[in-house]
Amino acid sequence: MKTLKRLLVNFAYYLNSSDTYQRKRRFFYNLLENDDYRYKKYFDLFMMVLIFASVGILIYEVKRDIHDALNIFNAYVISFIFFVEYILRLWIHSSISKVIIEQDEYSDLLGRDFSLGYVVRKVFREKMEYVLSLKAIIDLLAIMPFFHELRLLRVFILFRVFKIFRYAKSFNTFASVLASKKFEFFTLAMFAAIVIFVASVLIYVMEANDPESKIDTLYEAFYWSIVTISTVGYGDVVAVSPEGQFVAIVVILSGISVLAFTTSLFVSAFTEKLEDIKEAKVIQDVSKHKESYIICGYESIAKEVAKKLKRSKFHVVILDESRERVEEAKKDGLKALNYNPGNVDSYEKLNINLATQVKAILCLHENDVQNVYTALTIRAIDKNVKIMSLLMNSTNRKKLIFSGVNEILDDKEFVGLVAREYVGQPVAFEVIHAIRAEDSTIKVDEITITQRIVDNISQVSELGNINFRVVLLGIHKKSTNRFFFNPIDATLLEVGDVLFVVGNHIFIKEFTKHLMSRASKRGES
């Protein structure tokens, strides 16, 4: 068994380090999932043509005989293409080799045996997430006509129409907006279903024995309820008895309520998601530009710089963690995103190549600490992109240079300087730079102190981080909005304080679990 596990682990490392394998995996991922990949739109168009061709053939053969070759193309060739697509999507949904490697590294660091059972369960769980998703189920049903001998299954060709939702981006956006209100829509559907069921039974009982009524079966009663609650009212089936008419009044009023509730749900869903849709549009526009300036921070000096660049017809993107400043930038006619410039995820969300699509990144926060941290983050992503930074205090010039800034702009060169908003201290910039500049497992992480932790741990000396080989870099105190580097053991912990820790990501994870478990045990006692 140990030999089998070792062979499995070695093969996982081989796949993970194989350029050929990874290149093919990236190609199929981009082709199937990456909307920004230039060839994906051609693939989507090809699949949509197949879908419409398949449905067109199905409609044509209802009253006509079609050529055998066309029938084989529809039932086998197209189904086989969809089947290959389904397998490829299942393959790229999650990386089995990555799961194996993570478990192997985790086991080695903690001195435990490699757990093959855990790997199998995790891989199965991740793959089933795709298999049981709505899109995957539709894909599977669209493959069913492959079994051409079972003619009944050919009706599943109609499910290929639903595959259009996968390839049309506007449909996906619409679906994601409605999904945000799925609980409300479920509640509405349950209410409508109960009204329809009760109304169907009542109208059937009151009208079925009336010779003048057209409602003779429960199915006709059900049809009448649907038409009435939707306020369509075709008039082909109506209630004739006074009791039945009273039921109709109740159903009509209920239908008006359902329609009003439905309309309000659509409006609120699109209102809440409007910002996300606009953000996605901004990212899409930014990813198309060949030369852009990214301005980190949008305060008084940054505003002047952004206006000058805009007047010079340059593409400008504003990143700022303050929603108010982002809204102000949008009012000034700039593309702005509510992203933290000091976070790697922010640049990943932009989906641009810093080396080829960015002319320069300007760190213009009126706070040297934020500018240094932003520069370190950018340098961890790309070592060659040009970085220009604002310098507020001459004593921090060396820190900015060390963080990888190419050009430093002294604040005395600008007009309209405003006071700094944040009170802070430089925090081990050399260490943070080394950690972020290298591809290692050492991480800087944040742990927020909750009430349950404070109830059990009152000061720094009780944290026990040393036992987990985790270094406490400092604490940001919520009460004073200040950062304390290398706090003393007697420093009191308060709810809302943030611990900044350095260490192997696995040890940090175990340390966090340790804090939460102590808090849980105290709460149970």
Side-chain angles (χ1 to χ4, degrees):
M1 180 60 72
K2 289 185 177 180
T3 304
L4 176 62
K5 291 180 180 179
R6 183 44 51 190
L7 287 174
L8 188 64
V9 171
N10 291 340
F11 186 65
Y13 278 104
Y14 167 75
L15 291 179
N16 195 57
S17 59
S18 173
D19 291 337
T20 303
Y21 175 81
Q22 294 300 331
R23 186 165 57 251
K24 290 179 179 178
R25 184 181 178 85
R26 283 194 300 271
F27 170 77
F28 285 113
Y29 175 83
N30 289 330
L31 191 66
L32 296 172
E33 299 293 346
N34 187 2
D35 291 328
D36 297 311
Y37 187 55
R38 59 178 178 174
Y39 295 119
K40 187 179 188 300
K41 59 183 178 181
Y42 301 113
F43 172 78
D44 291 348
L45 181 62
F46 170 71
M47 297 299 287
M48 292 176 73
V49 169
L50 289 181
I51 291 169
F52 284 116
S54 178
V55 176
I57 293 171
L58 178 66
I59 295 172
Y60 182 82
E61 71 173 340
V62 171
K63 292 189 175 182
R64 301 173 182 88
D65 293 329
I66 61 173
H67 195 275
D68 290 341
L70 195 60
N71 199 19
I72 291 173
F73 173 75
N74 185 36
Y76 292 95
V77 177
I78 295 180
S79 296
F80 180 75
I81 294 174
F82 289 160
F83 174 73
V84 172
E85 181 207 17
Y86 180 85
I87 296 300
L88 288 174
R89 289 187 184 277
L90 181 63
W91 173 45
I92 66 172
H93 177 72
S94 61
S95 175
I96 298 177
S97 60
K98 185 178 179 181
V99 174
I100 295 173
I101 291 172
E102 288 179 351
Q103 176 60 20
D104 182 60
E105 292 178 347
Y106 188 86
S107 301
D108 285 344
L109 285 170
L110 298 180
R112 299 174 181 173
D113 292 333
F114 178 81
S115 176
L116 182 59
Y118 171 82
V119 171
V120 172
R121 289 192 299 272
K122 186 172 182 180
V123 169
F124 178 78
R125 185 167 58 250
E126 291 181 353
K127 295 298 182 183
M128 288 304 294
E129 285 178 2
Y130 169 76
V131 172
L132 297 178
S133 64
L134 179 60
K135 289 183 178 180
I137 292 173
I138 292 174
D139 288 344
L140 188 61
L141 291 174
I143 299 170
M144 295 299 286
F146 184 80
F147 304 98
H148 185 66
E149 289 74 11
L150 303 175
R151 293 189 59 84
L152 180 62
L153 294 179
R154 297 178 68 190
V155 73
F156 285 101
I157 289 177
L158 293 176
F159 281 94
R160 292 176 179 175
V161 176
F162 293 103
K163 282 175 68 67
I164 295 176
F165 286 94
R166 182 186 286 282
Y167 308 113
K169 194 171 183 180
S170 56
F171 285 152
N172 291 327
T173 302
F174 181 77
S176 66
V177 169
L178 297 185
S180 65
K181 295 288 183 181
K182 57 185 177 182
F183 175 76
E184 289 84 350
F185 279 114
F186 176 76
T187 304
L188 176 65
M190 290 298 296
F191 172 73
I194 292 172
V195 172
I196 290 171
F197 175 75
V198 173
S200 300
V201 173
L202 287 176
I203 203 70
Y204 176 72
V205 171
M206 296 177 181
E207 297 281 327
N209 294 323
D210 194 323
E212 297 182 4
S213 176
K214 293 184 178 181
I215 301 175
D216 189 49
T217 65
L218 188 60
Y219 174 78
E220 291 171 338
F222 180 75
Y223 167 77
W224 172 87
S225 299
I226 294 290
V227 172
T228 305
I229 197 173
S230 63
T231 68
V232 174
Y234 292 120
D236 54 342
V237 179
V238 296
V240 295
S241 67
E243 296 84 357
Q245 291 172 349
F246 176 77
V247 173
I249 293 173
V250 175
V251 175
I252 291 172
L253 292 176
S254 301
I256 294 173
S257 302
V258 169
L259 288 178
F261 190 23
T262 304
T263 303
S264 65
L265 283 181
F266 273 97
V267 172
S268 62
F270 276 95
T271 301
E272 293 173 5
K273 286 289 183 178
L274 188 60
E275 286 302 316
D276 293 338
I277 296 173
K278 289 181 178 179
E279 181 181 297
K281 182 64 171 61
V282 170
I283 294 175
Q284 186 179 10
D285 292 341
V286 170
S287 64
K288 296 177 181 178
H289 297 153
K290 296 298 181 183
E291 290 189 342
S292 302
Y293 283 95
I294 297 179
I295 297 180
C296 302
Y298 195 70
E299 298 169 72
S300 57
I301 296 175
K303 292 176 185 177
E304 297 300 321
V305 175
K307 289 177 183 177
K308 288 182 179 180
L309 290 173
K310 185 182 177 184
R311 284 196 295 267
S312 301
K313 307 300 181 182
F314 286 109
H315 299 295
V316 180
V317 185
I318 308 295
L319 301 183
D320 199 305
E321 64 273 20
S322 170
R323 185 172 292 278
E324 291 76 14
R325 291 198 290 266
V326 168
E327 291 300 324
E328 190 175 354
K330 290 179 180 178
K331 290 179 182 178
D332 293 337
L334 299 166
K335 290 182 173 64
L337 296 166
N338 187 208
Y339 290 171
N340 182 1
N343 194 322
V344 175
D345 292 338
S346 300
Y347 302 95
E348 292 179 351
K349 290 177 183 177
L350 282 178
N351 196 30
I352 60 176
N353 189 321
L354 297 182
T356 59
Q357 294 182 261
V358 176
K359 196 172 183 66
I361 299 179
L362 311 180
C363 303
L364 299 183
H365 272 298
E366 293 172 7
N367 182 306
D368 290 337
V369 174
Q370 289 174 300
N371 288 333
V372 169
Y373 195 77
T374 299
L376 291 173
T377 302
I378 296 167
R379 277 289 171 253
I381 301 172
D382 192 291
K383 297 181 180 180
N384 299 316
V385 64
K386 185 177 181 181
I387 303 177
M388 303 171 68
S389 178
L390 182 65
L391 176 64
M392 303 300 296
N393 190 326
S394 59
T395 59
N396 293 322
R397 180 178 292 273
K398 289 185 178 180
K399 295 184 177 69
L400 283 171
I401 295 173
F402 184 83
S403 64
V405 174
N406 301 105
E407 187 175 344
I408 297 175
L409 307 173
D410 198 300
D411 65 295
K412 296 181 177 63
E413 299 174 9
F414 295 90
V415 181
L417 183 64
V418 296
R420 285 174 283 180
E421 297 179 358
Y422 180 81
V423 179
Q425 297 181 34
V427 184
F429 297 111
E430 294 80 5
V431 176
I432 297 175
H433 175 62
I435 291 169
R436 289 192 170 272
E438 298 176 4
D439 183 16
S440 67
T441 58
I442 304 301
K443 303 293 181 184
V444 178
D445 209 346
E446 303 173 10
I447 303 174
T448 303
I449 299 298
T450 63
Q451 182 63 54
R452 299 185 70 177
I453 293 177
V454 171
D455 290 341
N456 193 39
I457 303 172
S458 60
Q459 59 186 20
V460 169
S461 60
E462 299 174 3
L463 288 172
N465 54 292
I466 302 299
N467 298 330
F468 292 84
R469 287 180 279 178
V470 172
V471 177
L472 178 61
L473 199 62
I475 299 179
H476 180 266
K477 301 291 291 182
K478 182 180 179 181
S479 58
T480 60
N481 195 28
R482 293 188 60 187
F483 185 90
F484 295 89
F485 173 66
N486 194 20
I488 61 175
D489 291 343
T491 302
L492 297 177
L493 299 177
E494 301 173 293
V495 177
D497 290 352
V498 179
L499 307 180
F500 289 84
V501 295
V502 179
N504 185 287
H505 69 283
I506 293 180
F507 294 153
I508 293 177
K509 182 180 178 180
E510 293 296 317
F511 172 60
T512 305
K513 288 182 179 178
H514 162 72
L515 293 180
M516 299 305 174
S517 63
R518 287 183 62 182
S520 300
K521 290 178 181 178
R522 179 61 178 264
E524 293 171 359
S525 61

